Amino acid sequence: TQSCDAMQTGLFTYFAHPDLFFFKGSDAVYRKHMRLICREAKSCNLPLEVNLLGFFKNRNYPDRRFWELAAEEGCDVILGCDAHSPQMLNVPQVEKAALGLVEAYGLNLLDTVELRSIHK
């Protein structure tokens, strides 16, 4: 599909902040479109990032609705620290909270991802 072609450009190693959208409309509309993102990422072997900044700063993400869909679609995930300052690196309670989300939804957490080369 067209969106998978965009994900397979070779420029992306993972999909950062896939749950960042602050959507207040119909749950059915949210689920339809976010499920599409999850399916496309899965079909393109593109992991989704569980972004730790949301835990650190208590933001509107992680959006548990999104991660429920990602789990249903069998998506791979990685943890991304998104550190904006040195103090945000290696914060055990933040990592514990993220791992709790991964475990709660049964997400497939990858230890590492291989950087994709932009040179073919």
Side-chain angles (χ1 to χ4, degrees), residues 1 3 15 17-18 24 33 36 40 44 46 60-61 68 70 74 81 95 103 105-106 108 111 118-119:
T1 65
S3 57
F15 191 140
H17 285 292
K24 296 189 98 170
H33 292 284
L36 178 61
E40 293 298 331
C44 296
L46 194 66
N60 65 299
Y61 59 89
E68 179 182 342
C81 69
E95 186 174 332
E103 184 177 315
Y105 290 100
N108 182 36
D111 290 330
I118 60 172
H119 306 286

Side-chain angles (χ1 to χ4, degrees), residues 33-48:
H33 292 284
M34 296 302 106
R35 185 177 301 279
L36 178 61
I37 288 173
C38 292
R39 285 183 177 163
E40 293 298 331
K42 174 74 175 173
S43 72
C44 296
N45 297 314
L46 194 66
L48 302 172

Side-chain angles (χ1 to χ4, degrees), residues 26-100:
S26 161
D27 191 56
V29 170
Y30 178 88
R31 293 179 61 80
K32 174 185 174 186
H33 292 284
M34 296 302 106
R35 185 177 301 279
L36 178 61
I37 288 173
C38 292
R39 285 183 177 163
E40 293 298 331
K42 174 74 175 173
S43 72
C44 296
N45 297 314
L46 194 66
L48 302 172
E49 177 202 42
V50 176
N51 189 283
L52 301 184
L53 186 61
F55 293 99
F56 191 89
K57 296 279 190 172
N58 197 27
R59 295 196 171 166
N60 65 299
Y61 59 89
D63 188 318
R64 295 183 184 276
R65 298 176 302 169
F66 180 86
W67 296 111
E68 179 182 342
L69 295 170
E72 289 173 7
E73 297 300 326
C75 294
D76 293 333
V77 301
I78 62 162
L79 300 183
C81 69
D82 198 3
H84 290 234
S85 67
Q87 301 89 322
M88 296 172 72
L89 292 170
N90 194 24
V91 181
Q93 67 268 24
V94 169
E95 186 174 332
K96 183 178 179 182
L99 291 173

Side-chain angles (χ1 to χ4, degrees), residues 97-117:
L99 291 173
L101 178 133
V102 168
E103 184 177 315
Y105 290 100
L107 295 164
N108 182 36
L109 179 63
L110 303 177
D111 290 330
T112 61
V113 291
E114 185 175 330
L115 293 176
R116 297 184 183 190
S117 173

